Amino acid sequence: MPSPKSRRLWIGTSWKMNKTLAEADSFVDKLLTFPIPRGVQAFVLPAHTALARVRDRLPPDSHLLLGAQNAHWAGEGSWTGEISMRMAKDAGATLIEIGHSERREHFGETDRTVALKAAAAVAHGLVPLICVGEPSVVRDVGGTDDFVRVQVEIALSELAPAEIEQVIIAYEPTWAIGDRGIPATVDQIAPVMALINDVITTACGSSRAVLYGGSVDTKNAAELLTTPNTDGLFVGRAAWEPSGFIELLKLCAPLAGT
Ligand code: PGA
């Protein structure tokens, strides 16, 4: 497994349920004042309402990847409130976030729907960004490895090996996410990052990228990136202001390969 330094670093943010169109415009305009460093693959997942708007505001040669925070596995039809993979792609998505813990907890996302969505994303030429991670009650009883292994294996269960190579996994322990999240240490995440890489390489030979997320900020980002098998960071709150995102890109750039 190459060290993080010899690999492209993925640094991205989901806006979750934030930003009007005017706020999205302002974020993009400020971000465009800073050239994305070589070796860093930056990405932003706006809310569905702002996806096409952000795409249209970026210059055609922009290296910023865009994605949707969720999309349905069905091609089309009577699924009130949902969008399809095709609609997400049409609005500018390259990445599709699947299985974030907030969706698993509040919106009935299961390992099975994650698998269906991952297969639908790949079928539409989109890159699944699959989130996995254990709650604190599971970690407290030593069940993290089994829990995460099952999540990853089921998430990939509808994909052929060549399709698994296209997948990005984000390890996001639920106890580390959000306002009440407790920032994780390298020691806590390293075994799980290794396990996820192991599951993917066993399935298809090589992993595209495994990211870490959960209370990442400018204070802990560089240290978290020293974790072996870690190809980048998936950030929430600390990157919602463009200045925060730019700071993270700046401090991660020297850690990226070229
Ligand atoms: P946070 O969110 O950085 O605000 O903890 C991370 C995430 O949910 O991906």
Side-chain angles (χ1 to χ4, degrees):
M1 175 61 54
S3 75
K5 284 188 180 184
S6 65
R7 302 182 76 165
R8 191 159 56 145
L9 274 187
W10 294 71
I11 309 290
T13 181
S14 161
W15 289 351
K16 304 194 181 184
M17 195 176 73
N18 292 288
K19 299 197 190 295
T20 61
L21 294 179
E23 288 161 354
D25 287 349
S26 164
F27 183 101
V28 172
D29 291 349
K30 288 184 185 138
L31 186 59
L32 286 174
T33 63
F34 176 73
I36 294 170
R38 276 168 62 92
V40 174
Q41 178 59 74
F43 63 94
V44 171
L45 313 183
H48 296 334
T49 47
L51 182 51
R53 175 75 157 240
V54 171
R55 186 258 325 265
D56 293 344
R57 207 160 177 95
L58 290 171
D61 60 350
S62 170
H63 295 303
L64 183 71
L65 284 185
L66 299 180
Q69 298 172 23
N70 176 48
H72 201 275
W73 62 84
E76 60 188 351
S78 301
W79 298 96
T80 300
E82 293 287 324
I83 67 164
S84 68
M85 297 293 166
R86 189 168 149 256
M87 291 157 70
K89 188 172 182 176
D90 182 54
T94 299
L95 303 166
I96 300 289
E97 184 180 5
I98 301 171
H100 189 278
S101 64
E102 287 152 13
R103 295 209 60 83
R104 292 179 191 258
E105 184 181 349
H106 303 297
F107 301 101
E109 190 85 271
T110 64
D111 289 341
R112 177 67 187 150
T113 60
V114 168
L116 292 172
K117 290 177 180 187
V122 170
H124 285 83
L126 293 159
V127 176
L129 169 53
I130 300 172
C131 302
V132 297
E134 80 289 355
S136 57
V137 285
V138 169
R139 179 165 279 260
D140 290 347
V141 297
T144 299
D145 284 10
D146 287 346
F147 188 93
V148 172
R149 178 184 292 279
V150 167
Q151 281 189 325
V152 176
E153 286 178 348
I154 298 178
L156 304 178
S157 61
E158 295 290 327
L159 301 175
E163 295 171 332
I164 295 174
E165 275 179 29
Q166 301 168 40
V167 169
I168 299 172
I169 303 277
Y171 171 51
E172 303 205 312
T174 61
W175 48 268
I177 292 176
D179 285 331
R180 297 188 178 176
I182 301 163
T185 63
V186 170
D187 285 351
Q188 286 172 310
I189 70 170
V192 192
M193 300 304 287
L195 170 115
I196 294 170
N197 263 285
D198 195 45
V199 173
I200 298 176
T201 45
T202 302
C204 71
S206 70
S207 80
R208 179 176 201 164
V210 181
L211 316 184
Y212 174 74
S215 292
V216 173
D217 60 22
T218 50
K219 293 190 285 300
N220 61 20
E223 190 179 358
L224 288 166
L225 284 173
T226 65
T227 313
N229 304 296
T230 302
D231 305 301
L233 300 170
F234 190 19
V235 190
R237 292 157 295 152
W240 287 346
E241 289 300 325
S243 55
F245 194 34
I246 289 169
E247 279 312 304
L248 283 164
L249 293 172
K250 271 188 198 161
L251 74 88
C252 293
L255 305 170
T258 50

